[in-house]
Amino acid sequence: MTAPAVSLVGVVKRFGDVTAVDGVTLDVLDGEFFSLLGPSGSGKTTCLRMIAGFEAPTEGWVLLHGDDVTGLAPYQRDVNTVFQDYALFPHMTVEENVAYGLMVRGVDKSERAKRVAEALDMVHLGGFGERKPGQLSGGQRQRVALARALINRPKVILLDEPLGALDLKLRHAMQIELKSIQRDVGISFIYVTHDQEEALNMSDRLAVFNHGRIEQVGPPQEVYETPRTEFVAGFVGISNVVPAILAEALTGRAEAFTVRPEKISLHVTGAPAPNASTCDVGGTVVDVVYLGMFTRYAVEVAHDTTLEVVRQNLDAPHRERGLLGATVHLQWGRDACRYLSEGSTEENQGGEL
Ligand code: ATP
């Protein structure tokens, strides 16, 4: 078996009293789009900077294709970083920006021109070479930064919130484009984001960070459908937590579980008779939020428990608001209940595939 593109082994990073990364073990495979997802301050960027070589771990090792690079400087590692602010040189043209790394290494002019043209084509910016960064849109600047990182074909590209400065529409377009470029070039991308939708959209696998530790690693569908901890359930998508007392009334098992809003059906009238494979609970609609394609309902099912439900807007528009205050029934399959205790013992097994 070939070695992973990047391995972090028992990595700890302390800044004085702050433990930014608290024992992370993780493998990123060759050609994989891998996201580090977590809230602000959870240690994602620090991990990325240790892979790049901008920070040294306090404990543990960083391996690139099986070689220990923990003590090597950034320029000695076959990785390039794309920063959120792009870090382009404003006085240079796009071509000069992209060629910069090759020029520093003394690559001759004709070879440079050829490779710059290739890199700009890769990011669909052929024909923009003469412009200055100030004459480009945010999305185009982002692609120049990516071309600059791609030009010497590193084994791994590290991206730190690269779409953070873009508006929502452009951000969505760039998510698709980045993923397709990554597939074309086949280089491992390690992508830092706090946006769960972005991580779910783009990644082959993702790691969910919390307080410097990894709570779960897996493909998007697995992390979303079977969160191992309450934190993962709440951070990756909306999650309803059903407390133990209500859980016992619904299922006979006195243990808290989570259930995703889209797994729950909401019935105003004519709810099917519950059976052994379903959960059924009555409640009052306390909030209705129209979201275009969907409407989100908050339904109070006990004095301390409100469940969120989403429904596709198949019916006539604006009918949903009439449900505010209505008494309804919620139903879902028992197989949609995720008992958190079932996954929590494997917490922080970041390296497992
Ligand atoms: P964000 O999404 O906001 O960038 P993050 O998950 O990337 O957050 P890090 O930037 O890795 O988090 O920071 C983790 C913790 O380490 C934070 O508490 C941060 O304040 C602290 N930290 C990071 N760099 C330093 C530093 N150079 N000196 C002191 N503390 C630091």
Side-chain angles (χ1 to χ4, degrees):
M1 201 181 107
T2 55
V6 176
S7 301
L8 298 179
V9 185
V11 168
V12 173
K13 179 66 184 178
R14 291 188 203 97
F15 296 103
D17 293 343
V18 177
T19 303
V21 175
D22 192 11
V24 163
T25 292
L26 178 69
D27 286 339
V28 177
L29 306 183
D30 239 348
E32 198 170 34
F33 197 117
F34 192 99
S35 293
L36 312 182
L37 172 69
S40 184
S42 58
K44 314 173 298 280
T45 298
T46 304
C47 276
L48 202 76
R49 290 174 61 78
M50 288 191 284
I51 298 169
F54 300 128
E55 300 285 357
T58 313
E59 290 173 26
W61 296 270
V62 179
L63 312 183
L64 293 180
H65 288 98
D67 296 328
D68 182 0
V69 298
T70 317
L72 297 186
Y75 69 88
Q76 295 171 304
R77 303 180 183 202
D78 200 3
V79 302
N80 283 341
T81 305
V82 177
F83 298 99
Q84 182 176 353
D85 61 2
Y86 318 139
L88 300 177
F89 301 117
H91 58 287
M92 289 186 185
T93 64
V94 165
E95 268 173 8
E96 287 163 350
N97 264 285
V98 175
Y100 186 77
L102 299 182
M103 201 178 69
V104 171
R105 290 184 186 194
V107 174
D108 76 57
K109 205 171 167 188
S110 64
E111 174 70 11
R112 255 175 14 223
K114 183 170 147 263
R115 285 171 61 182
V116 167
E118 275 171 14
L120 287 178
D121 275 349
M122 264 184 238
V123 299
H124 313 126
L125 276 185
F128 285 77
E130 297 299 318
R131 293 206 199 176
K132 299 264 175 71
Q135 298 167 313
L136 299 175
S137 71
Q140 289 165 341
R141 278 201 286 271
Q142 210 284 323
R143 281 185 273 164
V144 175
L146 184 61
R148 193 174 55 181
L150 284 167
I151 193 151
N152 52 359
R153 293 283 181 141
K155 296 275 173 39
V156 179
I157 291 193
L158 308 175
L159 303 103
D160 192 358
E161 304 254 6
L163 307 183
L166 306 181
D167 69 50
L168 193 64
K169 198 159 179 166
L170 186 54
R171 202 177 161 113
H172 281 153
M174 283 302 296
Q175 286 171 6
I176 295 166
E177 190 155 339
L178 261 184
K179 175 72 194 161
S180 112
I181 292 168
Q182 187 270 339
R183 230 182 263 128
D184 289 347
V185 296
I187 294 174
S188 307
F189 276 30
I190 304 184
Y191 191 93
V192 164
T193 181
H194 61 264
D195 180 335
Q196 48 104 4
E197 187 193 312
E198 190 161 284
L200 292 176
N201 280 350
M202 300 175 79
S203 317
D204 296 313
R205 288 190 309 144
L206 56 108
V208 184
F209 278 69
N210 187 23
H211 295 305
R213 298 170 73 87
I214 292 176
E215 296 230 350
Q216 188 164 354
V217 177
Q221 192 179 353
E222 184 182 301
V223 172
Y224 184 81
E225 295 288 343
T226 50
R228 283 183 179 164
T229 65
E230 190 168 335
F231 174 80
V232 174
F235 193 74
V236 184
I238 296 169
S239 159
N240 292 305
V241 177
V242 175
I245 294 177
L246 181 57
E248 185 172 24
L250 292 175
T251 66
R253 180 170 166 181
E255 207 182 314
F257 64 80
T258 67
V259 57
R260 296 290 190 192
E262 71 279 11
K263 309 287 186 203
I264 302 175
S265 57
L266 180 149
H267 303 274
V268 185
T269 53
N275 61 48
S277 61
T278 58
C279 292
D280 178 289
V281 63
T284 306
V285 177
V286 292
D287 195 22
V288 179
V289 181
Y290 177 71
L291 296 167
M293 277 193 284
F294 302 94
T295 296
R296 194 168 68 218
Y297 302 88
V299 179
E300 192 175 70
V301 295
H303 78 277
D304 60 349
T305 308
T306 298
L307 301 184
E308 290 207 12
V309 184
V310 286
R311 280 217 300 188
Q312 209 180 332
N313 287 329
L314 299 168
D315 305 340
H318 311 310
R319 195 182 286 173
E320 316 72 25
R321 275 217 72 79
L323 285 184
L324 197 60
T327 302
V328 295
H329 264 267
L330 304 183
Q331 291 190 344
W332 63 92
R334 289 198 183 192
D335 56 0
C337 302
R338 296 280 168 256
Y339 290 93
L340 298 169
S341 59
E342 287 173 359
S344 56
T345 51
E346 292 173 76
E347 225 174 89
N348 219 36
Q349 295 299 301
E352 166 205 341
L353 293 176

